[in-house]
């Protein structure tokens, strides 16, 4: 049965155009073609990336953080309290007002003390500024190197300037070592991101990040063994073109260089919108959806590849919305922050008494839930 499933999975009609077989992509006459077995190396390379990242963050990012004067905020720790800790772990981090009152009776603390305990306990779980800086530094370094390397791989290729040449001779298109290593390194890096996602800084788009990493791994893998390599190198370089700008903006934000962060962010927003919402759908997707049909009938691999591209494009639209929200804050003079990040709660951020004469707009929040007529919820 396993052999039957294996044979069906690798059936040529799934992954290759009509009248072509895997035998057509066997190495011959000094020409090397992509093979699915090439991808096995990406798993040990992903583990190697995790090791390199550990030492990079320890010996490069940490000293750099000290050089840029990245300072941690002093966090007050929640006092040990088994009753509140059990609720925090079992029921949630944001008890409602009725639950606060119940916990107050069970723990012998006042309602305000319960609210303060949960606020401090949530802050304990938030990643430190140094952790955020080190993670951004690692990603910035990789994305910058990957973008430069990717451009070096494709800038001298004719299909970089004429999209129709992407499909010239497809799928009988041999590979060169630069394409091989570009693919293996990119795929290994995204495997490493997926392996470390549980320990990395969790943001509000955590689920979208998982979807993105999985879709990217599937796309890179499929485009390799189905020989969509020319299109794949264009797509990877396009994505890397803006990612390093975002990570550098984060680094300067964590270092407190607000003006530099804001300026880099605006450049990033422009590059992101142009590459992800203009070039990708109107050039790259047009290339992968329209041009292949001029050469052969649509097949499963054609639909599969473009469906995965559609998933990525939907994520780009979602992230563009967040970027435009941040850009609006910048234009209106508000502080630019990563819309996906949790904000640090201060001792007066919620649950404190309103200032005298503050009126309804100054009414407090209790553990993230509005009290009375307060409709302004602060993101935790």
């Amino acid at each position: 049965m396993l052999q039957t499933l294996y044979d069906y999975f690798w059936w040529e009609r799934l992954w290759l155009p009509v009248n072509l077989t895997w035998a057509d992509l066997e190495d011959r006459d000094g020409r090397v073609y992509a093979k699915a077995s090439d991808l096995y190396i990406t798993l040990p390379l992903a583990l190697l990336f995790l090791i390199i990242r550990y030492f990079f963050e320890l010996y490069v990012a940490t000293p750099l953080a000290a050089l840029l004067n990245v300072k941690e905020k002093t966090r007050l720790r929640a006092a040990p309290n088994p009753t509140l800790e059990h609720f925090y772990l079992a029921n949630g981090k944001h008890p409602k007002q009725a639950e606060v009152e119940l916990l107050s009776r069970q723990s012998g603390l006042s309602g305000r003390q319960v609210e303060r305990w949960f606020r401090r306990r949530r802050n304990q779980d938030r990643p430190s500024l140094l952790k955020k800086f080190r993670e951004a530094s690692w990603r910035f370094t990789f994305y910058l190197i990957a973008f430069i390397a990717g451009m070096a791989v494709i800038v001298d290729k004719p299909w970089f300037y004429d999209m129709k040449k992407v499909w010239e001779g497809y799928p009988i298109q041999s590979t060169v070592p630069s394409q091989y290593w570009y693919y293996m390194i990119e795929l290994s890096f995204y495997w490493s991101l997926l392996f470390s996602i549980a320990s990395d800084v969790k943001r509000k788009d955590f689920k979208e990040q998982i979807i993105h990493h999985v879709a990217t791994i599937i796309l890179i893998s499929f485009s390799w063994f189905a020989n969509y390599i020319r299109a794949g190198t264009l797509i990877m370089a396009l994505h890397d073109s803006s990612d390093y700008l975002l990570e550098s903006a984060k680094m300067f934000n964590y270092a407190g260089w607000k003006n530099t962060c804001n300026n880099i962010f605006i450049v990033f927003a422009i590059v992101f919108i142009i590459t992800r919402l203009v070039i990708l759908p109107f050039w790259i997707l047009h290339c992968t959806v329209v041009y292949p049909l001029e050469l052969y009938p649509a097949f499963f691999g054609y639909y599969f590849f473009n469906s995965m591209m559609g998933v990525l494009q939907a994520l780009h639209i979602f992230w563009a919305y967040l970027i435009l929200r941040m850009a609006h804050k910048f234009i209106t003079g508000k502080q630019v922050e990563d819309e996906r990040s949790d904000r640090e709660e201060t001792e007066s951020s919620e649950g404190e008494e309103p200032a005298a004469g503050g009126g309804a707009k100054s009414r407090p929040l209790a553990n993230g839930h509005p009290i009375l007529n307060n409709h302004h919820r602060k993101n935790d």
Side-chain angles (χ1 to χ4, degrees):
M1 180 179 177
L2 291 177
Q3 184 62 41
T4 302
L5 292 175
Y6 178 86
D7 293 339
Y8 184 77
F9 181 82
W10 291 111
W11 184 35
E12 288 93 343
R13 294 289 68 78
L14 287 178
W15 309 113
L16 297 176
V18 65
N19 297 328
L20 288 167
T21 67
W22 295 117
D24 296 314
L25 298 179
E26 292 180 356
D27 299 346
R28 64 174 62 89
D29 301 326
R31 296 169 66 87
V32 179
Y33 297 92
K35 305 173 189 64
S37 58
D38 294 334
L39 303 180
Y40 294 152
I41 195 177
T42 61
L43 294 178
L45 281 179
L47 297 178
L48 179 60
F49 262 121
L50 293 176
I51 295 172
I52 294 173
R53 173 180 174 175
Y54 173 79
F55 287 105
F56 175 90
E57 292 185 353
L58 186 62
Y59 294 110
V60 178
T62 300
L64 181 60
L67 183 65
L68 294 178
N69 201 28
V70 176
K71 294 182 178 179
E72 288 289 352
K73 294 181 180 178
T74 301
R75 293 179 177 178
L76 297 175
R77 298 185 62 83
N81 189 304
T83 300
L84 301 184
E85 184 69 23
H86 179 267
F87 184 96
Y88 183 88
L89 297 175
N91 301 93
K93 303 178 181 181
H94 299 272
K96 298 179 180 179
Q97 190 64 24
E99 293 170 327
V100 169
E101 294 172 359
L102 176 62
L103 289 169
S104 174
R105 292 193 295 270
Q106 292 177 344
S107 63
L109 300 175
S110 68
R112 191 166 307 285
Q113 288 173 322
V114 171
E115 293 167 5
R116 185 178 294 112
W117 187 95
F118 274 90
R119 184 163 56 251
R120 291 179 178 179
R121 185 64 180 82
R122 288 194 295 269
N123 280 340
Q124 285 179 214
D125 283 351
R126 289 188 171 89
S128 67
L129 202 61
L130 179 60
K131 178 178 174 64
K132 292 180 180 180
F133 181 88
R134 292 192 300 193
E135 182 178 309
S137 299
W138 166 245
R139 297 192 184 197
F140 163 76
T141 302
F142 175 83
Y143 288 135
L144 179 60
I145 294 174
F147 174 62
I148 295 172
M151 291 305 297
V153 169
I154 64 176
V155 73
D156 62 338
K157 305 298 188 293
W159 55 86
F160 181 69
Y161 305 95
D162 182 358
M163 292 288 182
K164 286 193 174 183
K165 292 187 179 296
V166 166
W167 305 105
E168 193 174 81
Y170 178 82
I172 314 300
Q173 298 172 338
S174 59
T175 62
V176 296
S178 60
Q179 291 174 322
Y180 170 84
W181 284 111
Y182 186 36
Y183 254 81
M184 297 306 111
I185 290 173
E186 284 275 356
L187 182 55
S188 301
F189 179 74
Y190 278 102
W191 273 121
S192 74
L193 290 183
L194 192 62
F195 293 158
S196 64
I197 197 167
S199 60
D200 285 344
V201 175
K202 289 183 175 63
R203 305 182 188 278
K204 295 177 183 177
D205 62 344
F206 178 74
K207 294 180 181 178
E208 289 81 4
Q209 285 286 351
I210 294 178
I211 294 171
H212 174 267
H213 295 340
V214 172
T216 300
I217 289 170
I218 292 174
L219 265 174
I220 294 176
S221 301
F222 167 78
S223 66
W224 178 258
F225 66 71
N227 221 16
Y228 273 51
I229 295 172
R230 294 181 180 180
T233 53
L234 293 174
I235 294 167
M236 289 189 296
L238 184 76
H239 282 73
D240 291 335
S241 65
S242 60
D243 288 340
Y244 71 91
L245 291 170
L246 176 60
E247 300 303 329
S248 63
K250 290 180 185 178
M251 291 169 62
F252 285 111
N253 179 51
Y254 301 145
W257 297 30
K258 299 304 181 183
N259 289 335
T260 304
C261 167
N262 292 344
N263 291 333
I264 294 177
F265 174 78
I266 292 300
V267 175
F268 158 75
I270 294 171
V271 173
F272 185 95
I273 298 298
I274 292 174
T275 56
R276 309 291 180 94
L277 299 189
V278 179
I279 295 178
L280 185 64
F282 296 107
W283 271 270
I284 305 295
L285 268 175
H286 182 267
C287 171
T288 61
V289 171
V290 176
Y291 293 159
L293 299 181
E294 298 176 0
L295 302 174
Y296 51 79
F299 60 105
F300 174 79
Y302 165 87
Y303 292 117
F304 180 80
F305 181 83
N306 287 299
S307 296
M308 289 293 99
M309 288 294 295
V311 171
L312 284 185
Q313 190 58 48
L315 290 172
H316 295 156
I317 294 172
F318 168 72
W319 283 319
Y321 164 72
L322 299 182
I323 290 168
L324 291 175
R325 282 182 57 179
M326 288 187 280
H328 178 263
K329 290 182 179 181
F330 175 81
I331 293 172
T332 56
K334 298 178 180 178
Q335 182 179 356
V336 176
E337 296 179 353
D338 189 345
E339 287 284 343
R340 305 170 302 156
S341 297
D342 284 351
R343 298 174 187 172
E344 188 85 8
E345 294 177 89
T346 63
E347 287 300 302
S348 60
S349 63
E350 57 177 278
E352 301 296 335
E353 290 293 343
K361 292 184 179 180
S362 299
R363 285 173 184 158
L365 296 177
N367 290 288
H369 297 282
I371 297 177
L372 300 178
N373 296 323
N374 186 354
H375 300 290
H376 301 279
R377 176 172 177 170
K378 182 178 179 61
N379 290 327
D380 291 333

